[in-house]
Amino acid sequence: MNRPPTLRDVAEKANVHTSTVSRALNERTQDMINPITVKRVRAAADALGYQPNSLARGLKTRRTLTVGMLIPDLTNPLFPPIVRGIEDRFRASDYTLLLANTDQDTSRERQIIGVMQARHVDGIIVATARREHPVLDKLQQEGMPLVLVNRVADLPVVSSVTADDHSGVGQAIRHLISLGHRRIAHVAGSQTTTTGVDRASAYRYWLEAAGIAYDEKLVTIADWFTEADGAMACQELLDRGVDFTAIVAANDLVALGCYQILRSAGRRVPQDVSVVGYNDIPFTHAFAPPLTSVRVPLYELGQKTADLMLEHIEDEAAVHTSVRLMPRLVVRESTRALTSDEVGVDEADSPAELDR
């Protein structure tokens, strides 16, 4: 055969209709076909060396089969697993993901979105985390399929995929309380982001649910979710001279910044201060000591994001959906139980039952 094999060639070899071949080779529609037929079609396609013609499909559907994605910081280890989940899902539908780094620069963000729209992307995924985001209003008004990942927006109502931060922070707080800690500090993330606000709110909720009074002196706010900003916020906590035996950090990079400052101040983790991170990004097991962290299913976050995006692309009337995935605490060596002497007589009483 001097020309590339076509869908019709595969259909003839498998002795089925071309529409059957189309469905059998698409992972999103293959369940509509008898598994034996799917196997036969795929065998025929492999034998002929058939490759789907994405350009032809795009012309037929009037789509470019591309989706843009805005990421605030490509160097953050949080994002690669999310992107991998999105790409793996898109591959099954012949979609390509176009990544762009924004550095949280609003003007750069607008410029990138303009370029993506000029290239006629079929949708845009936004991972930038500001609570107020005028660009989202504009995209929605223009009818651009839009999905947020690892964040939500105050307004407008937009489909999103996030972890259940209320539950995740609760797991961290309950773990520390079970180890005897009562003076638990929080090095929070930027309060201009939904992530920072939600985790700080959950911190307060779970302390008070345990009968532990909220103390604002035990809370500092990092300018952003980076190691350097975490270090500065932890230094501020130490400069206040308040007593604490544990820290719940806004994320793992902030926790790493806390490690740095605590070490400089001569405080050991976990002998002097227990530390819990959030997200459980790759390599937290290699921290010194290995970090106890709330594991967010990042790859699954990406997969669900891709599913929502494809749904919005294929159905303009698709309902906006908020998906929350359940995180789980991974206990490592950065937390330890206090002795009865360290807990103290007054603080040794059992906390209120955490049944919510």
Side-chain angles (χ1 to χ4, degrees):
M1 185 178 293
N2 295 323
R3 59 176 175 76
T6 65
L7 205 69
R8 185 180 298 278
D9 295 325
V10 177
E12 290 178 356
K13 186 172 182 63
N15 194 28
V16 296
H17 194 273
T18 53
S19 63
T20 301
V21 174
S22 180
R23 292 189 181 96
L25 296 181
N26 187 332
E27 292 188 20
R28 290 173 60 82
T29 58
Q30 66 180 16
D31 291 342
M32 300 168 61
I33 308 299
N34 185 295
I36 296 176
T37 303
V38 171
K39 186 175 181 180
R40 188 167 78 248
V41 169
R42 289 179 178 270
D46 290 342
L48 293 173
Y50 171 77
Q51 294 293 328
N53 189 333
S54 297
L55 178 59
R57 181 186 167 197
L59 290 172
K60 183 178 180 180
T61 60
R62 296 184 180 181
R63 296 172 185 160
T64 61
L65 302 181
T66 58
V67 171
M69 181 174 182
L70 275 61
I71 293 179
D73 182 5
L74 280 172
T75 65
N76 189 331
L78 170 75
F79 293 109
I82 295 176
V83 171
R84 182 61 180 270
I86 294 172
E87 287 190 321
D88 285 352
R89 270 290 199 267
F90 277 173
R91 190 175 298 115
S93 298
D94 296 329
Y95 270 81
T96 298
L97 185 67
L98 305 179
L99 292 177
N101 183 70
T102 69
D103 288 325
Q104 290 297 334
D105 185 322
T106 304
S107 60
R108 177 173 171 78
E109 214 169 73
R110 284 196 295 265
Q111 178 189 15
I112 291 171
I113 288 175
V115 171
M116 288 181 173
Q117 288 180 301
R119 291 179 179 271
H120 300 287
V121 295
D122 297 323
I124 293 179
I125 295 170
V126 178
T128 53
R130 289 191 305 277
R131 295 174 62 190
E132 296 182 4
H133 213 139
V135 172
L136 301 185
D137 280 310
K138 182 174 182 293
L139 288 173
Q140 274 203 324
Q141 290 169 4
E142 294 173 354
M144 174 66 71
L146 184 64
V147 178
L148 310 183
V149 60
N150 199 47
R151 57 151 298 190
V152 296
D154 289 350
L155 287 172
V157 177
V158 181
S159 287
S160 62
V161 184
T162 62
D164 187 336
D165 285 342
H166 184 77
S167 172
V169 172
Q171 292 176 50
I173 295 293
R174 293 196 301 272
H175 168 65
L176 291 170
I177 290 175
S178 73
L179 297 177
H181 296 277
R182 301 294 180 269
R183 298 290 292 173
I184 302 170
H186 180 42
V187 180
S190 171
Q191 299 299 285
T192 65
T193 69
T194 55
T195 300
V197 169
D198 289 347
R199 292 177 188 174
S201 175
Y203 159 81
R204 179 169 187 167
Y205 174 90
W206 287 107
L207 281 183
E208 293 179 342
I212 299 174
Y214 174 80
D215 184 350
E216 63 181 13
K217 293 180 181 178
L218 290 175
V219 178
T220 56
I221 300 172
D223 287 341
W224 202 247
F225 298 86
T226 67
E227 179 181 353
D229 290 321
M232 292 179 63
C234 187
Q235 184 63 61
E236 179 185 343
L237 185 65
L238 292 180
D239 291 344
R240 291 177 183 175
V242 292
D243 293 327
F244 60 91
T245 62
I247 293 174
V248 173
N251 75 349
D252 298 328
L253 294 179
V254 168
L256 190 57
C258 292
Y259 271 28
Q260 172 190 331
I261 294 303
L262 291 170
R263 188 179 300 113
S264 298
R267 298 199 187 188
R268 300 163 299 167
V269 177
Q271 292 90 337
D272 301 314
V273 180
S274 289
V275 178
V276 179
Y278 205 101
N279 289 326
D280 198 34
I281 59 176
F283 313 119
T284 47
H285 65 280
F287 285 15
L291 180 66
T292 293
S293 183
V294 178
R295 175 174 294 172
V296 172
L298 300 174
Y299 180 79
E300 290 78 5
L301 237 65
Q303 289 183 310
K304 293 294 185 182
T305 298
D307 289 340
L308 277 183
M309 175 54 69
L310 291 172
E311 182 180 331
H312 281 291
I313 290 173
E314 294 172 5
D315 181 4
E316 294 181 1
V319 177
H320 293 295
T321 305
S322 294
V323 177
R324 290 185 183 271
L325 302 184
M326 187 60 64
R328 68 179 180 86
L329 184 71
V330 179
V331 178
R332 298 192 181 94
E333 298 170 29
S334 66
T335 53
R336 75 168 181 94
L338 299 182
T339 66
S340 57
D341 290 339
E342 290 172 315
V343 172
V345 176
D346 293 336
E347 295 180 343
D349 297 333
S350 298
E353 187 67 28
L354 297 180
D355 58 356
R356 282 172 281 182

